[in-house]
Amino acid sequence: MSRRAKGKRYDTNEKLNIKKVIAVIVAIAVIVMFVVGIKTLLTESPTKNTEQTSYYPVYTNNKWGVINQKGEIVIVPQYDEMITIPNSKIELFICVYDVDYENNTYKTKIINSKNEEKFTEYELVESVENIDKNNILWYEENVLKVKKDGLYGLIDYSGKLILPIEYSSIETLKGVKNSIIIKKNDKVGLCDNKGNIIISPEYKEIKSIEEDYKNGYIVINNDNLYGLIDFTKTMILEPIYEEVKPVYSSNIFIVKEKGKLKAINKDKETLIENKFDDVKEINSDNLIFIKNGKYGIINIKQEEKIKAEYDDLEYAFGDYYIAKKGNKYGIINLSNETLLPFEYSRIAYRKNAGFIETEKEGNINTELLNDKLEKMLEGIITDIDEIKAYIRIRINDEYKYYNFKFEEIKASEVLTNTMFLSKKDGKYGFVDSMGKVVIDYIYEDAQEQNSYGYAAVKQDGKWTYIDSKGVQGTEKYELKNNIIIDFIGKWHLAEDLNSYYYTDAE
């Protein structure tokens, strides 16, 4: 176990560009997907969740405890290590104690909201943690890792044993959900988060194919030969290759045989050979290939649709590709025509929403383009909710809402809060669903009400909260380094988004 500073789980050299408020979107979008509970916290109705208790780690006076959605202390802060809560709706709190950093040993215990200890028959009980390429942490659903007599197994949240305690180690396949690496007799296999064995422990190594477990897995045997197994346990490629590239396609595979990299089909027939140094992506019959450090596109008929002349290529939609020249991005088609000029510092296609995000160096705003590459919106994006299909964007210091057709909508059409953020004469206040003012326009800045009825407001340079009845808190914070401002009672969301906890410290 690595030493943690104030609960920070993973260190990274990558820094968020705070000037680019798109970082807020990235942070929100990623946390929404992978950190249990934050989606509910940021977007759902305060009236929907008050009956169901939620739990969050809290840090105060250099100690860790647990609070509920009302800001009430559930577990008194007394622990030196951050308390892990694998699911915010379930009262299973993993406490770490007796930590010996020199020998890398520690103990754990599971307690509930009544401070009762659970699963005491095991030497160790831990959450099954995973982490994505952006260093964002999540927990595998309804599964815990347990240790007994020096060996590991899996239980579900009720304590039912779902994987026998017979493995020397259990770890997640990093960046891939529902994929747990199990080790036995120095060989590795793989199971899902219900304990079902997908790959028996008979391989030297298992690798992912991109980030979706449904894409299958690359297996490497003791002879360092590569094969491919899908999630239904079907052997797609026998381990006879010198390499299998982690590029997903349902019927095209990139393998190395006799020192040569080539594309083959399911029948092991060679489709393309001696045409590339590597392959980044496959879309239909088109491959984004790499040759001499440059990117191009070739199809399975071995026709070079685009010569290897770009510094990067990424498929968007239709026959549109995001291309990079030097340090600038544009959009081209399969005829190599430039459809969007190379003047952007970032371009991303949001597949589930059907639009393109672009940024330019030195501009804090994000531009949103439709599928015809027409600019539809420009501003600071603060939320893109792909479930409810809306965009929240800050334009000229005012928050506005749009659907994915870029039609402006009211906050009350997508949120079911008891009050809604509003702006007038440069100040923020709140109105009800009918537009009647319920909190006067007296704040320098403010955030929408969260799922528990608390809204963050800024006055005289400091942040505090108002509750669902409009009562303002007495605690005030500057929160200069916080990307997301959010409160549960007097507790504010911490600066460290990776750890996701609440605190009363600046």
Side-chain angles (χ1 to χ4, degrees):
M1 185 185 75
S2 61
R3 185 162 188 165
R4 305 167 186 162
K6 286 192 178 182
K8 186 173 177 63
R9 293 308 186 94
Y10 296 93
D11 293 323
T12 176
N13 293 324
E14 297 179 5
K15 300 293 184 183
L16 287 174
N17 184 350
I18 296 179
K19 290 198 304 180
K20 284 283 187 183
V21 188
I22 188 66
V24 176
I25 300 179
V26 174
I28 291 176
V30 174
I31 293 172
V32 159
M33 288 188 288
F34 301 124
V35 179
V36 177
I38 200 167
K39 177 63 183 174
T40 298
L41 179 65
L42 294 178
T43 63
E44 290 187 2
S45 162
T47 61
K48 286 183 179 179
N49 295 292
T50 51
E51 293 182 0
Q52 184 176 12
T53 305
S54 298
Y55 304 96
Y56 301 97
V58 68
Y59 181 77
T60 182
N61 297 323
N62 296 316
K63 296 292 182 180
W64 292 95
V66 175
I67 59 171
N68 63 20
Q69 83 281 6
K70 297 178 181 179
E72 300 166 336
I73 291 177
V74 177
I75 300 297
V76 174
Q78 57 183 300
Y79 293 92
D80 294 324
E81 294 289 328
M82 181 178 176
I83 295 175
T84 299
I85 306 175
N87 186 321
S88 66
K89 303 299 183 186
I90 298 175
E91 51 177 282
L92 289 178
F93 314 136
I94 304 176
C95 305
V96 178
Y97 64 102
D98 287 353
V99 179
D100 185 336
Y101 293 111
E102 290 185 4
N103 296 310
N104 196 33
T105 61
Y106 57 96
K107 296 178 181 178
T108 66
K109 65 179 180 180
I110 303 283
I111 57 176
N112 61 18
S113 62
K114 297 177 181 178
N115 216 17
E116 298 168 335
E117 196 167 347
K118 301 173 67 68
F119 314 141
T120 56
E121 64 268 37
Y122 302 109
E123 300 167 14
L124 204 66
V125 183
E126 297 180 288
S127 59
V128 181
E129 297 181 349
N130 210 328
I131 185 174
D132 72 359
K133 63 183 179 182
N134 296 311
N135 235 40
I136 299 299
L137 173 74
W138 83 83
Y139 303 113
E140 291 294 336
E141 296 178 0
N142 197 35
V143 62
L144 298 170
K145 180 168 68 173
V146 295
K147 183 180 182 181
K148 191 172 185 179
D149 299 328
L151 296 176
Y152 293 88
L154 296 175
I155 63 173
D156 63 19
Y157 288 168
S158 72
K160 178 184 176 182
L161 187 67
I162 60 174
L163 185 72
I165 303 174
E166 57 186 41
Y167 299 94
S168 56
S169 71
I170 294 178
E171 304 293 339
T172 51
L173 187 58
K174 298 307 179 189
V176 186
K177 297 182 74 173
N178 201 23
S179 302
I180 300 172
I181 298 292
I182 51 178
K183 188 173 185 179
K184 188 176 185 180
N185 299 327
D186 291 325
K187 300 287 182 67
V188 297
L190 185 137
C191 72
D192 63 16
N193 56 21
K194 294 182 180 179
N196 299 313
I197 301 294
I198 306 302
I199 301 174
S200 298
E202 55 186 82
Y203 294 97
K204 178 181 177 181
E205 190 177 355
I206 297 175
K207 296 183 177 182
S208 62
I209 300 177
E210 299 178 354
E211 296 178 351
D212 190 340
Y213 69 88
K214 296 176 184 176
N215 293 347
Y217 307 93
I218 296 168
V219 294
I220 307 170
N221 66 18
N222 278 347
D223 296 322
N224 289 319
L225 295 177
Y226 288 61
L228 181 63
I229 298 176
D230 73 11
F231 195 72
T232 66
K233 309 180 185 181
T234 302
M235 180 72 73
I236 304 299
L237 297 177
E238 295 288 339
I240 59 174
Y241 300 98
E242 296 160 26
E243 189 175 3
V244 175
K245 288 290 182 178
V247 181
Y248 177 71
S249 170
S250 61
N251 54 11
I252 302 173
F253 311 99
I254 309 302
V255 301
K256 181 181 283 188
E257 196 171 27
K258 296 180 180 179
K260 295 181 179 180
L261 203 62
K262 59 185 180 180
I264 64 173
N265 61 20
K266 283 186 175 181
D267 296 324
K268 318 300 185 296
E269 298 169 334
T270 298
L271 303 174
I272 309 172
E273 191 173 11
N274 298 324
K275 293 290 186 178
F276 44 71
D277 301 327
D278 206 347
V279 172
K280 175 186 176 181
E281 188 178 347
I282 301 173
N283 175 257
S284 186
D285 292 340
N286 297 310
L287 288 69
I288 297 178
F289 72 96
I290 305 171
K291 187 78 172 178
N292 299 324
K294 296 291 185 177
Y295 293 73
I297 298 174
I298 189 171
N299 64 21
I300 59 174
K301 296 179 181 179
Q302 303 198 38
E303 299 169 334
E304 280 196 12
K305 306 296 290 185
I306 296 176
K307 292 187 179 296
E309 59 186 16
Y310 292 98
D311 293 304
D312 197 7
L313 278 173
E314 179 182 339
Y315 177 70
F317 61 94
D319 69 344
Y320 289 7
Y321 288 80
I322 299 168
K324 183 180 182 183
K325 281 184 179 180
N327 62 351
K328 296 295 184 182
Y329 292 87
I331 291 181
I332 62 172
N333 61 16
L334 275 177
S335 299
N336 205 15
E337 298 170 327
T338 298
L339 305 178
L340 201 65
F342 289 82
E343 57 187 28
Y344 299 92
S345 59
R346 174 182 173 269
I347 298 178
Y349 176 63
R350 193 172 283 268
K351 180 179 178 181
N352 294 331
F355 56 75
I356 293 171
E357 301 172 26
T358 67
E359 296 178 33
K360 291 183 179 179
E361 197 69 39
N363 187 350
I364 66 171
N365 288 336
T366 297
E367 295 179 356
L368 299 184
L369 315 182
N370 63 15
D371 57 6
K372 296 179 182 178
L373 306 185
E374 300 167 330
K375 185 172 79 170
M376 304 302 293
L377 287 176
E378 181 177 357
I380 297 171
I381 307 295
T382 59
D383 192 15
I384 296 177
D385 191 313
E386 294 182 356
I387 298 174
K388 296 182 179 179
Y390 72 83
I391 304 159
R392 184 172 185 257
I393 183 169
R394 186 162 175 157
I395 302 175
N396 297 326
D397 292 329
E398 185 175 357
Y399 293 99
K400 293 179 177 292
Y401 290 80
Y402 293 84
N403 60 26
F404 287 172
K405 295 179 181 179
F406 301 106
E407 299 166 336
E408 187 170 1
I409 56 178
K410 295 180 179 179
S412 57
E413 293 181 53
V414 290
L415 305 178
T416 49
N417 297 352
T418 59
M419 57 185 181
F420 302 90
L421 189 61
S422 180
K423 188 179 182 183
K424 182 180 179 181
D425 298 330
K427 295 286 186 177
Y428 292 90
F430 292 85
V431 298
D432 63 18
S433 60
M434 303 301 292
K436 180 182 177 182
V437 176
V438 292
I439 303 291
D440 285 338
Y441 297 92
I442 59 174
Y443 297 107
E444 302 158 17
D445 202 350
Q447 303 291 331
E448 287 284 6
Q449 190 180 46
N450 66 29
S451 65
Y452 305 127
Y454 297 102
V457 293
K458 187 177 184 181
Q459 195 172 36
D460 299 327
K462 293 190 175 183
W463 288 92
T464 186
Y465 67 90
I466 53 176
D467 64 20
S468 60
K469 297 179 181 179
V471 178
Q472 181 174 304
T474 57
E475 300 82 2
K476 296 182 179 180
Y477 311 89
E478 290 188 358
L479 305 182
K480 292 181 179 179
N481 297 320
N482 291 57
I483 294 176
I484 299 176
I485 309 293
D486 190 81
F487 283 84
I488 295 180
K490 73 170 186 176
W491 312 98
H492 66 81
L493 189 64
E495 173 184 331
D496 182 1
L497 291 177
N498 265 354
S499 293
Y500 183 51
Y501 63 91
Y502 285 83
T503 182
D504 59 356
E506 278 283 7

